[in-house]
Amino acid sequence: MGKMKLMKGNEAFAEAAIRAGCDAYFGYPITPQSEVMEYLAAQQPQLRTGMVLLQAESEVAAINMVYGAAGTGKRVMTSSSSPGISLKQEGISYLAGSQLPCLILNVMRGGPGLGTIQPSQSDYFQATKGGGHGDYRMIVLAPASVQEMSDFVKLGFELAFKYRNPVIMLSDGIIGQMMEKVELFEQVPRLTEFDQQWVTTGKTPDRERNVITSLDLDPARHERHNLKLQAKYQKMRENEVRFENIDCDDAEYLFVAYGSCARICQKSVKLARAKGIKVGLIRPVTLFPFPSEEIGRRAAKLKGILTVELSSGQMIEDVRLAVDGKVRVALHNRMGGMVPSPEEVVDALLKSFSIR
Amino acid sequence: MAKIKGAIVIDIEKCKGCELCLVSCPTDVIRMEKKVNGKGYHFAYMEYPDNCTGCANCAVVCPDGVITVYRKKFEE
Amino acid sequence: MEIRNPRIQEIISEENLVYKKTSLMTDKALSYCPGCGHGVVHRVIMEIIDEMGIQADTIGVAPVGCSVLAYEFMNIDMQQASHGRAPAVATGIKRCWPEKYVFTYQGDGDLAAIGTAETIHACNRGENIAIFFINNGIYGMTGGQMAPTTLVGMRSSTTPYGRDAALMGNPLKITELVAMLPGTYFVARHTVHTPLAVRKFKKAAKMAFENQKLNKGLSFIEIVSNCNSGWKMTPVQANKWMEENMLPFYPPGDIKMNGEIVKKAEKAE
């Protein structure tokens, strides 16, 4: 059992990066995630584990440094917030197309445009449906606590290497900034052996040269490449769905919420149950792959589902696909950095489904 | 007196007929063939092989690396 | 081919071999236009890696542009970069493998337009990499549009009446610019259009790899080259035009040696 520490979400993420044996971090400052690089810099990871830390000239450069470093087969990561993640999209598309593992943290803030530095969940579509150009998906992990800001770093790297694919942690300004107790995992050694099958280490006489590219001008071959990618994403759908159920077994109504909204809804469940309303909460932990089966399975027995989001309603589309019309799905949302109170969510539930 | 003699071998199918070897040859050995290769290019050949000194200038400027150069010293 | 001189057969044998394409160039026919300088630069870089015996320790970064498929021709481990980002990609690789040799191969649009920030900052950080910068004053792959290095008055498909500096800005001498940065250790400009020029470039390129051992900073070599298709000339004419027009504005020579400026930038006319 490790020691409990009181940390900010962003700091826990950074500490976990060092402990997960991350080989390199490339970033660019942006609120509300700047503590990640600040914490790393203060820790001098180059001395602690030999981890590379570099502040790039832009988010564009940072993600391309990640792309280059990921090609060497090492554990690499970057972090940013919404506008910065938009800038990284081209690089993420290249990472996905070239099948490179890496971990990306998005501490979401409100948009569109420069928007606000306050928390938001309005990058759900961007993270779960691709984001950049081309047909690709990333595993999307949605931490709802400082503990998960730490735990998901380790999990994220495992999944990234398992599928040779970028993994994104979709956090938000609340989770990144808030302080909670966290139990940190023990130091994992940095990688010392590399899968020579595909990484760039320098061509040796015993193998063909390794080329990392997403380009293929032969349409038939490129279609095969795309089919291979899609098959990989299907495997993720089959094997990597993660979610948390709270009070779902006797539930007549369900909240579906992730990240900070799930934390708010935990309280709303208690408040509603105190009023005698049987409500449960499904918290998707992976947003891609989405726990569609779990939500769909419960749909027929429910009187209504309320999704609670810090966006105009993005995840609700996946919930509606999951229930396939079997139950009405309503939305309670706030935008622009506003956050709903637990009471407000309960009121929304009552109103949406005319519960008296 | 010893004489240096050279010769070049051209990978005809990869020659693109750019003529950069022709203009770089100090002893005017190379000409372009009237015939074309599989890609439709007039490829280079040694028209005056006796002049070749094996200096490798042609091979050094050849963008497609199609020229191999040999050189031998003859005692006369 | 008929052998006109029986002596030739005596000359053409392994022990008399003077020059042969390095085995570090693959057997794939180059996709470049006839007479294009890319092929020569590719070959010279591969010759150096071959001669230094560092194939197992070298990683190249290919850009977007005509040389996007460089990895099809260079028999070394390579990574393809998005447009302009090769110096950032190379930074990522080099920081993870500091003991390996890393180089980028970039054109003028890639390095001096869309990738200016990455170029300047990799140079300024003094990344221990080599950058080979092919400047032919035009976007070759997309069909001959104006590049940041297109000369004033020079025609391209997007400057059909010639580049007007008042409207389109001036050609960018990025090589002189990066020479001023403290992170660059060796900066030079070369050409590959004559045998002598190729041999000079080869010396410089070798230095660019040897410098990586010293960990003193970045080596940057511009190669002023032709684009006969884009310029709409024969290869021989294009090289002549390059000598008469490009080289007065982009004069070959060493600009920075061992971290010291050796040639001041000339003022543009």
Side-chain angles (χ1 to χ4, degrees), chain A residues 112-220:
Chain A
L114 202 48
T116 172
I117 59 170
Q118 304 298 329
S120 170
Q121 295 182 322
S122 48
D123 303 345
Y124 179 92
F125 286 153
Q126 189 192 51
T128 59
K129 312 296 176 192
H133 60 283
D135 278 318
Y136 72 90
R137 297 294 177 113
M138 292 177 284
I139 292 179
V140 184
L141 299 172
S145 63
V146 173
Q147 185 64 51
E148 287 183 343
M149 284 291 275
S150 165
D151 293 347
F152 287 1
V153 173
K154 205 171 174 184
L155 174 65
F157 275 128
E158 280 167 19
L159 294 172
F161 276 81
K162 181 175 175 185
Y163 292 97
R164 265 182 68 191
N165 204 65
V167 168
I168 190 160
M169 275 173 67
L170 197 65
S171 184
D172 63 54
I174 298 174
I175 307 290
Q177 292 294 327
M178 74 183 183
M179 292 186 89
E180 278 187 327
K181 62 175 193 287
V182 53
E183 186 187 337
L184 297 161
F185 54 85
E186 292 299 316
Q187 180 68 49
V188 175
R190 285 179 53 227
L191 289 175
T192 50
E193 281 175 28
F194 299 93
D195 183 358
Q196 301 286 332
Q197 297 286 310
W198 61 274
V199 307
T200 54
T201 53
K203 185 203 172 300
T204 45
D206 57 333
R207 65 161 170 84
E208 287 297 301
R209 68 188 184 283
N210 284 338
V211 172
I212 291 176
T213 182
S214 50
L215 177 73
D216 196 336
L217 296 173
D218 178 328

Side-chain angles (χ1 to χ4, degrees), chain A residues 18-38:
Chain A
I18 301 174
R19 290 182 184 233
C22 176
D23 293 285
Y25 171 94
F26 303 95
Y28 186 82
I30 183 171
T31 309
Q33 66 78 54
S34 296
E35 293 86 358
V36 173
M37 200 168 18
E38 287 170 353

Side-chain angles (χ1 to χ4, degrees), chain A residues 22-293:
Chain A
C22 176
D23 293 285
Y25 171 94
F26 303 95
Y28 186 82
I30 183 171
T31 309
Q33 66 78 54
S34 296
E35 293 86 358
V36 173
M37 200 168 18
E38 287 170 353
Y39 182 91
L40 287 173
Q43 286 294 316
Q44 296 185 288
Q46 68 277 17
L47 303 180
R48 261 181 73 177
T49 63
M51 171 183 169
V52 171
L53 168 66
L54 185 62
Q55 179 171 339
E57 61 269 30
S58 68
E59 283 94 347
V60 176
I63 194 70
N64 281 285
M65 289 172 186
V66 166
Y67 169 71
T72 69
K74 302 210 178 188
R75 288 193 197 108
V76 294
M77 59 155 48
T78 186
S79 64
S80 190
S81 177
S82 307
I85 294 289
S86 288
L87 278 167
K88 289 184 198 282
Q89 290 303 330
E90 182 197 31
I92 295 172
S93 173
Y94 275 65
L95 281 153
S98 313
Q99 302 202 72
L100 295 181
C102 71
L103 182 63
I104 302 155
L105 170 69
N106 180 359
V107 183
M108 287 184 283
R109 58 186 251 184
L114 202 48
T116 172
I117 59 170
Q118 304 298 329
S120 170
Q121 295 182 322
S122 48
D123 303 345
Y124 179 92
F125 286 153
Q126 189 192 51
T128 59
K129 312 296 176 192
H133 60 283
D135 278 318
Y136 72 90
R137 297 294 177 113
M138 292 177 284
I139 292 179
V140 184
L141 299 172
S145 63
V146 173
Q147 185 64 51
E148 287 183 343
M149 284 291 275
S150 165
D151 293 347
F152 287 1
V153 173
K154 205 171 174 184
L155 174 65
F157 275 128
E158 280 167 19
L159 294 172
F161 276 81
K162 181 175 175 185
Y163 292 97
R164 265 182 68 191
N165 204 65
V167 168
I168 190 160
M169 275 173 67
L170 197 65
S171 184
D172 63 54
I174 298 174
I175 307 290
Q177 292 294 327
M178 74 183 183
M179 292 186 89
E180 278 187 327
K181 62 175 193 287
V182 53
E183 186 187 337
L184 297 161
F185 54 85
E186 292 299 316
Q187 180 68 49
V188 175
R190 285 179 53 227
L191 289 175
T192 50
E193 281 175 28
F194 299 93
D195 183 358
Q196 301 286 332
Q197 297 286 310
W198 61 274
V199 307
T200 54
T201 53
K203 185 203 172 300
T204 45
D206 57 333
R207 65 161 170 84
E208 287 297 301
R209 68 188 184 283
N210 284 338
V211 172
I212 291 176
T213 182
S214 50
L215 177 73
D216 196 336
L217 296 173
D218 178 328
R221 216 168 44 204
H222 198 51
E223 185 182 53
R224 283 199 297 278
H225 172 67
N226 266 283
L227 289 170
K228 199 174 132 193
L229 291 180
Q230 292 305 320
K232 181 166 87 172
Y233 306 146
Q234 190 52 39
K235 274 223 163 68
M236 293 174 186
R237 288 188 185 95
E238 286 160 14
N239 301 321
E240 306 304 339
V241 174
R242 286 169 172 79
F243 57 87
E244 187 187 5
N245 281 345
I246 295 171
D247 292 339
C248 287
D249 289 344
D250 64 339
E252 293 175 345
Y253 298 93
L254 265 191
F255 293 129
V256 180
Y258 68 96
S260 52
C261 277
R263 292 292 288 275
I264 294 163
C265 287
Q266 277 182 39
K267 180 76 177 166
S268 305
V269 167
K270 281 183 188 151
L271 293 173
R273 286 208 171 243
K275 289 181 193 248
I277 307 160
K278 288 182 177 168
V279 189
L281 165 66
I282 291 186
R283 172 172 82 94
V285 171
T286 51
L287 301 178
F288 180 86
F290 193 73
S292 306
E293 216 180 285

Side-chain angles (χ1 to χ4, degrees), chain A residues 283-341:
Chain A
R283 172 172 82 94
V285 171
T286 51
L287 301 178
F288 180 86
F290 193 73
S292 306
E293 216 180 285
E294 172 67 11
I295 296 170
R297 180 172 76 79
R298 294 179 180 277
K301 290 178 276 177
L302 295 169
K303 292 182 179 166
I305 294 178
L306 185 75
T307 75
V308 182
E309 303 182 56
L310 304 183
S311 73
S312 64
Q314 299 190 9
M315 182 186 64
I316 192 171
E317 295 192 4
D318 284 334
V319 176
R320 283 189 174 136
L321 282 171
V323 303
D324 198 18
K326 291 192 193 85
V327 63
R328 196 161 71 81
V329 183
L331 170 73
H332 183 65
N333 68 317
R334 299 300 298 265
M335 290 184 282
M338 293 300 287
V339 178
S341 68

Side-chain angles (χ1 to χ4, degrees), chain C residues 164-184:
Chain C
D164 178 348
L167 283 177
M168 300 136 186
N170 286 289
L172 180 60
K173 287 189 177 183
I174 197 158
T175 304
E176 276 80 358
L177 212 146
V178 300
M180 285 158 54
L181 303 172
T184 49

Side-chain angles (χ1 to χ4, degrees), chain B residues 11 14 59 61-68, chain C residues 19-21 30 39 43:
Chain B
D11 185 345
K14 284 191 181 146
V61 294
C62 174
D64 293 278
V66 303
I67 305 177
T68 307
Chain C
Y19 190 95
K20 192 182 166 200
K21 188 182 82 173
L30 294 174
R43 183 160 41 83

